[in-house]
Amino acid sequence: MAPFGDFYDGRRVFVTGDTGFKGSWLSLWLTKLGASVTGYSDGPITTPNNFTASDVASRIRHVDGLVEDSAAVAAAIDEAQPEVILHLAGQALVGKSFDDPRGTIATNALGTANVLDAALAIDSVQSVVIVTSDKCYAPRETDVPYLESDRLGGDDPYSLSKACAELVFEAFQVTIEHRAPSGTRAPAIGSARAGNVFGGGDWSEKRLIPDMVRAIGEHEPLVLRVPHARRPWQHVLEPISGYLWLGRMLASGDLPNASWNFGPPPQGAHTVEEMVRFFVAEWGIDLPIEITPQQQFVETLLLRLDPTAAAHDLGWHTVLEPREALALTARWYRDYSEGTASMADVSSSQIDEYVERARTNGLTWAK
């Protein structure tokens, strides 16, 4: 049996944010599973980017558009007639949210409403997965991991926007049965809250791995803002496997409409400083480090998720240790920098490698 029980083979899937870091990996994986993918976004936000590097555009049908544009979202979903919708589009950078709080909230909250609203008008849709963030929780500087039932909130525009997206999702749970087309089953909906992800192909500003790759390439010191901040780091393919399995389980009627955390076990959280040390060791270089005298903006110093519900309800858990995930990531960037390999082949091979590791670890979706 292929991953996810052959569910995606021949299935129509609509991915918002397909040109983003996670969205491009997800879209590539879906094509390997045999899905017919329609992607929707306003294009890559960085140059270079994984969407271009891994040649995702040649494998899917891409539609240019903003998730804030309700009419454009509705038209694209109506034309695609998808069976599964995976909503990843959004403003994903904390720093940028301070420069444009209104735009961040509009993209992340209103965009979620637009996708759900359009999905409920299409009778082909079986499931919708709304991807938000571990930062949707009201911050508390304690060592207690966040549960899905914890209070939503945020003390910065980005976190607030993700909490708002989750509240939009909760509101649609209440109305969904009343909105389904007459004589059809209402689509199942779920939200996925993932911690900090990394992997090959991310060039976003003020993110740890891309900052290290740029510093290495430019022979400059790495500047750290909060070296002791602790995060639930995971390779990008870890939560994506959860999103894909969640979409399948929801469509099959095996799960209630609810939210799930996707991340490493609480003891798997590492500090920024530890991740830097691991990464440079895998790359095999010395990288000078500078600490900024003060934070440029408010950031939560401790974030840990409790993924027990995902383990119980979906049989999902992470499979890569941090050093293994960083080794995979360093290998991707080295191949890219050397320019001798097809990055589409490299990315595809890393997906295969990850699936095989998940199968060895006995994950249900990989059997």
Side-chain angles (χ1 to χ4, degrees):
M1 188 170 69
F4 313 105
D6 278 334
F7 173 79
Y8 288 100
D9 188 18
R11 203 166 289 267
R12 299 184 305 277
V13 183
F14 191 89
V15 178
T16 72
D18 61 313
T19 58
F21 171 50
K22 282 202 289 187
S24 58
W25 276 100
L26 173 63
S27 297
L28 180 61
W29 196 344
L30 280 165
T31 63
K32 286 173 63 65
L33 295 171
S36 174
V37 180
T38 297
Y40 180 91
S41 78
D42 58 344
I45 62 172
T46 65
T47 301
N49 58 80
N50 185 56
F51 183 77
T52 303
S54 295
D55 194 26
V56 179
S58 69
R59 294 163 168 77
I60 70 171
R61 174 178 173 267
H62 172 76
V63 179
D64 281 315
L66 297 168
V67 289
E68 304 96 303
D69 186 336
S70 60
V73 170
I77 291 177
D78 181 60
E79 183 178 0
Q81 291 290 305
E83 295 157 275
V84 178
I85 296 176
L86 297 156
H87 174 49
L88 283 76
Q91 199 296 93
L93 301 177
V94 176
K96 185 177 178 181
S97 75
F98 284 89
D99 298 327
D100 185 16
R102 182 182 179 280
T104 298
I105 294 169
T107 300
N108 294 344
L110 182 59
T112 298
N114 288 339
V115 169
L116 285 169
D117 194 54
L120 298 189
I122 308 297
D123 60 12
S124 65
V125 178
Q126 299 171 10
S127 65
V128 183
V129 176
I130 302 296
V131 175
T132 62
S133 167
D134 60 346
K135 295 180 179 66
C136 68
Y137 294 108
R140 58 171 189 243
E141 296 296 339
T142 71
D143 203 35
V144 179
Y146 291 98
L147 291 167
E148 290 86 348
S149 57
D150 284 338
R151 187 168 68 89
L152 301 170
D155 53 11
D156 63 81
Y158 173 78
S159 301
L160 174 65
S161 73
K162 290 300 185 180
C164 288
E166 286 285 350
L167 291 171
V168 167
F169 166 76
E170 289 184 2
F172 270 82
Q173 287 186 65
V174 177
T175 63
I176 191 168
E177 293 293 340
H178 303 286
R179 291 287 311 281
S182 177
T184 65
R185 179 177 74 90
I189 62 175
S191 79
R193 303 164 181 177
N196 289 53
V197 300
F198 62 89
D202 186 8
W203 278 277
S204 301
E205 294 290 336
K206 294 184 174 63
R207 279 186 178 164
L208 183 60
I209 301 299
D211 283 351
M212 279 196 282
V213 172
R214 279 188 287 268
I216 292 168
E218 297 167 5
H219 306 287
E220 296 287 343
L222 172 66
V223 178
L224 297 181
R225 299 189 306 274
V226 280
H228 302 301
R230 189 173 295 273
R231 298 285 187 264
W233 308 95
Q234 57 185 323
H235 191 274
V236 64
L237 295 178
E238 303 269 31
I240 288 176
S241 70
Y243 306 159
L244 289 168
W245 190 227
L246 180 57
R248 184 266 187 207
M249 295 282 280
L250 287 168
S252 301
D254 297 326
L255 292 173
N257 296 338
S259 300
W260 286 268
N261 290 334
F262 291 93
Q267 64 270 24
H270 290 275
T271 67
V272 169
E273 192 172 26
E274 289 170 338
M275 295 295 287
V276 171
R277 188 166 64 249
F278 291 160
F279 189 78
V280 297
E282 291 297 337
W283 196 288
I285 61 164
D286 291 322
L287 180 63
I289 296 174
E290 294 180 359
I291 308 298
T292 56
Q294 60 184 9
Q295 289 179 239
Q296 298 173 327
F297 46 79
V298 176
E299 272 190 287
T300 303
L301 296 180
L302 178 64
L303 276 173
R304 294 202 303 168
L305 297 178
D306 187 328
T308 302
H312 178 270
D313 299 341
L314 289 89
W316 179 94
H317 58 76
T318 56
V319 300
L320 299 175
E321 295 297 325
R323 289 296 291 264
E324 295 174 309
L326 286 166
L328 207 62
T329 303
R331 197 165 77 229
W332 195 100
Y333 283 110
R334 281 200 304 267
D335 286 343
Y336 179 85
S337 64
E338 291 170 1
T340 58
S342 160
M343 296 316 297
D345 291 343
V346 170
S347 297
S348 178
S349 176
Q350 291 202 348
I351 291 173
D352 292 339
E353 188 175 338
Y354 177 77
V355 170
E356 183 57 35
R357 180 61 186 276
R359 184 175 290 122
T360 301
N361 277 262
L363 266 71
T364 304
W365 64 262
K367 293 179 180 178

